[in-house]
Each structure stands twice: as C-alpha cells, then as structure tokens.
C-alpha cells in the first residue's frame, strides 16, 4: 500500500475565551493556517486536491461549510474543494486520517487536514441549545432513550466515572493539571512551540501585536491555587482547573503521497504509520482511548515501549491518567510540552493542533515514533501513530 507523509504541521497559539483571538472570524483564522502550510512547504497552492476541516460547533460563523469558507478566505485558488467534518473533539484528527486514507488509496496525492473552533464566537453547545429553544427538537432520539433511559450523555460525568473506576483523587487530578501548566510554561520559555505556531495579528489597547504565545498558560499556578477552584460536582474530583480550557484556535497539516514528494520537491517531517478509530461505551464516553490504543499498537505490531512520545488530549485530567495506567506508559513521555489543561482545547482544531506539537516535539527530542489519541463525544476515540523522518 502507498505511504502517506506529513510535510507541514502548524497551529495558532491558543486564545482564551473572550481573549486575544476573539476578534478573529473562524474562517479567517483557519485560512491563516492554510496559508502558512503553503508558504512553509513551498508547494503550488493549486496542487492541493482537497481540504478536510474539523469543526464541532457548525453554526453561525462556523456554519455554511466553514472548511470551504476557510479556503475562500485563504490564498488557495477557489478551485480547491473542501469539506467540514464532525467527530466531536477528534474532528481534525479524523481529518488527518481521512487525508491519509485518500493518499494511501491512491485517490489523491496532496490533501490538507485542518481544524478550527472559535469557542468565543460560537460557544460550545450553542447549536443544540438554539435549536431546542426554537422548538426544533433535541439530538437524543426515542430509540436512543429506550437504550439509555434517563441518561444524559455527559463528558463531565464520564470523567468522574473514570476517576472513580481507576482510583484517582482530587489531589491526583490537580497535581496533573499543575504539571501541564509547568510543562507548557517551560516549553514556551525554551521556544519549543516556535516552529509550529502561526502568529496572528491582533488589536489590543496598547496597539497591534503578534499573538504567538498560548494565552491560557498559568505561569504562577500552584497546588493551592488549583485546589481552590470549586468542584463541578459535590464529592467529585473535576474542576475547571483540572479540565481543558475553552479556547479559540486553528491548525493545519499537509498530507502527501511519495509521488507528490518527488514532483514538488517536498521534505517530509513524518510518515503516518497507523490509523485507528474505535467506539465503545457512550456513557463513560471518555475511556475509549485506552482500548483504541490497545488495538492500534496490536495492528501496528508494536508495544507502548516502542513509542517515544504520546499526545493524549487532556479533556479532563482523569483521561490521560487512566490512559497511562492502562497502557503501562512512561509518564515522562506523556504530553511533554503540556496539554489542553494549560494550552486549551479548541474542539475541532485540537486534532491537527496536537499533531503539530507531536511532530515538532519528535524532531526536537530525536524520537522516532509518536502516538496521538483523543477522547470524543459518543464514546469514540482516534489513534494515529507517526514515524519521524
């Protein structure tokens, strides 16, 4: 089977809700990452055969097929098609996998996977809420209600269930959150994100500035400050401080065939080694990355010891903690530059965002294999394994 290669992987620096990226229309923000991929790779924009854009809240400014909107706002010719997909938090990781599958099948040679989410301008849950308020029904169907009576599918409750199942305390979750901030702060100060970040121009009271540092990192975080944040459920362990931050951002990855590498004189950063997606319990919901990783490693003929770095999305602290415990991984290899608790989780953009961080971290640290996984609404999980080149 043909191989699929990653040539470029970029992201914006995260913006807090109502923060520095609040003035950016999501289509324009996504267009900046598409343009950056073209500029950095040097490929002819007309050679791009498709753009696959992940986005969760597809309404308002992220409606009317925001992937196509991003292409039209970019420097790509209007002849480049696009599609917008929703696999919840794994939307743009699935975009990478769809792009790789297109290349590996021989159907296409140059595909851009991307993601965008302005959680300021299109708030999380707003699309469902607005339909419900208009009397247009809810997502849970009568047949689903028969199978799952009186159950509200909730990622927050799933995180609490995982914490209870795997025996994690509030102190465990808070300590993990603190480490996420410390690792992200250290990576920022070292300049480890410099090659993956696309700087955006923003207006501030002090004038026009370049936004090139993740806005959510708390450089002064302590166990005391994190522990002082109110729990989301009495008797639980999850708080806003040990869960992912609401975030605005966009990201993009260029995936090409071996033929495209030669034709366009491109230098690959990584080869895609394995693509896996699985689904399980929609109630616990966030546990599926554990089992998806088992399957991915088995299909790849690998063990967790073969993997040099892991990017496990920090939707809630119990998720990466449970993943690490289940797979028997090395904590030192997990989210080495911090994760969504510190850097933010811009929903549909997080898949390609994590890939940008993983690819560049492998190069900086000299690792060979990297694994990325994402918990997703409905009890689904994607796993992507890459090999640094």
């Amino acid at each position: 089977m043909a191989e699929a290669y990653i040539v470029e992987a970029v992201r914006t620096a995260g913006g807090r809700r109502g923060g520095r990226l609040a003035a950016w229309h999501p289509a324009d923000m996504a267009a900046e990452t598409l343009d950056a991929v073209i500029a950095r790779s040097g490929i002819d924009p007309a050679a791009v055969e498709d753009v696959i854009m992940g986005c969760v809240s597809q309404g308002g400014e992220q409606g009317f097929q925001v992937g196509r909107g991003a292409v039209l706002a970019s420097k790509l010719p209007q002849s480049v098609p696009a599609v917008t997909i929703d696999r919840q938090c794994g939307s743009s990781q699935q975009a990478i996998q769809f792009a790789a599958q297109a290349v590996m099948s021989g159907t296409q040679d140059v595909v851009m996977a991307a993601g965008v989410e302005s959680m300021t301008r299109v708030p999380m849950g707003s699309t469902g809420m607005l339909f419900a308020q208009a009397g247009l029904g809810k997502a849970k169907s009568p047949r689903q209600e028969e199978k799952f009576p009186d159950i509200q599918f909730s990622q927050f409750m799933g995180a609490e269930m995982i914490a209870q199942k795997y025996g994690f305390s509030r102190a465990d979750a808070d300590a993990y959150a603190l480490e996420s901030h410390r690792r992200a702060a250290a990576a920022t100060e070292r300049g480890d994100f410099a090659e993956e970040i696309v700087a955006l121009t923003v207006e501030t009271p002090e004038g026009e500035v370049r936004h090139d540092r993740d806005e959510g990192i708390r450089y002064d975080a302590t166990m005391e400050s994190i522990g002082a944040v109110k729990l989301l459920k009495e008797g639980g362990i999850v708080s806003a401080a040990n869960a992912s931050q609401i975030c605005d951002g966009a990201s993009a990855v260029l995936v090409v065939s071996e033929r495209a590498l030669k034709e366009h004189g491109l230098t690959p950063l990584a080869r895609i080694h394995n693509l896996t997606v699985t689904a399980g319990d929609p109630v616990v919901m966030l546990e599926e990355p554990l089992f998806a990783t088992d399957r991915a490693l088995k299909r790849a003929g690998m063990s967790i010891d073969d993997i040099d770095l892991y990017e496990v999305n920090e939707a809630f602290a119990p998720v990466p903690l449970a993943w690490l415990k289940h797979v028997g991984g090395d904590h030192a290899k997990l989210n080495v530059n911090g994760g969504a608790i510190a850097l933010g989780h811009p929903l549909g953009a997080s898949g390609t965002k994590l890939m940008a961080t993983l690819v560049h971290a492998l190069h900086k640290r000299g690792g060979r294999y990297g694994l990325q996984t994402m918990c997703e609404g409905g009890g689904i999980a994607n796993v992507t394994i890459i090999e640094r080149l």
Side-chain angles (χ1 to χ4, degrees), residues 130-350:
L130 292 171
F131 270 76
Q133 289 176 348
L136 297 174
K138 298 181 179 180
K140 193 177 183 186
S141 73
R143 291 187 181 183
Q144 290 178 55
E145 184 62 34
E146 288 178 11
K147 290 184 176 181
F148 305 99
D150 300 319
I151 291 174
Q152 180 181 0
F153 297 126
S154 164
Q155 295 197 22
F156 157 67
M157 291 306 299
E160 292 285 1
M161 291 176 187
I162 290 172
Q164 185 174 15
K165 178 176 179 178
Y166 291 90
F168 298 122
S169 66
R170 167 79 186 269
D172 294 329
D174 286 353
Y176 183 89
L178 177 60
E179 185 169 29
S180 182
H181 283 285
R182 287 179 173 172
R183 289 185 175 190
T188 301
E189 295 301 330
R190 289 192 305 265
D192 286 357
F193 295 133
E195 292 182 14
E196 69 196 59
I197 287 180
V198 177
L200 300 183
T201 302
V202 299
E203 294 289 342
T204 73
E206 294 75 36
E208 194 175 87
V209 300
R210 282 163 52 87
H211 177 63
D212 59 4
R213 287 168 69 102
D214 295 286
E215 197 176 8
I217 304 170
R218 300 188 184 279
Y219 292 86
D220 59 350
T222 64
M223 279 293 286
E224 291 72 27
S225 64
I226 291 173
V229 177
K230 183 180 178 181
L231 292 171
L232 299 180
K233 172 191 173 186
E234 186 176 349
I237 77 158
V238 175
S239 74
N242 59 39
S244 56
Q245 291 188 41
I246 290 173
C247 183
D248 302 334
S251 50
V253 172
L254 182 61
V255 180
V256 307
S257 67
E258 186 171 1
R259 178 167 59 185
L261 290 177
K262 296 174 182 177
E263 287 185 359
H264 299 281
L266 304 172
T267 301
L269 295 173
R271 180 180 68 88
I272 294 177
H273 188 67
N274 177 266
L275 308 169
T276 295
V277 60
T278 68
D281 188 340
V283 179
V284 179
M285 193 179 296
L286 308 181
E287 191 181 18
E288 192 59 22
L290 285 60
F291 315 125
T293 299
D294 290 340
R295 182 173 181 181
L297 291 171
K298 183 177 180 180
R299 292 182 66 186
M302 304 175 78
S303 75
I304 195 64
D305 294 333
D306 296 319
I307 307 297
D308 297 295
L309 294 177
Y310 337 123
E311 282 290 327
V312 180
N313 193 43
E314 295 173 357
F316 300 88
V319 177
L321 285 170
W323 181 90
L324 195 66
K325 186 174 184 178
H326 176 82
V327 303
D330 181 351
H331 189 86
K333 299 178 179 180
L334 173 64
N335 298 350
V336 293
N337 291 332
I341 291 172
L343 299 169
H345 176 22
L347 300 184
S350 285

Side-chain angles (χ1 to χ4, degrees), residues 36-92:
V37 164
I38 295 300
R40 295 182 187 192
S41 67
I43 195 169
D44 179 359
V48 178
E49 294 170 88
D50 204 357
V51 173
I52 306 173
M53 180 78 66
C55 183
V56 173
S57 300
Q58 295 183 30
E61 293 185 357
Q62 291 173 173
F64 200 56
Q65 225 275 69
V66 69
R68 178 60 173 165
V71 168
L72 296 177
S74 76
K75 296 177 182 177
L76 291 168
Q78 66 181 20
S79 57
V80 175
V83 64
T84 306
I85 63 169
D86 174 12
R87 203 191 280 278
Q88 297 291 279
C89 298
S91 296
S92 57

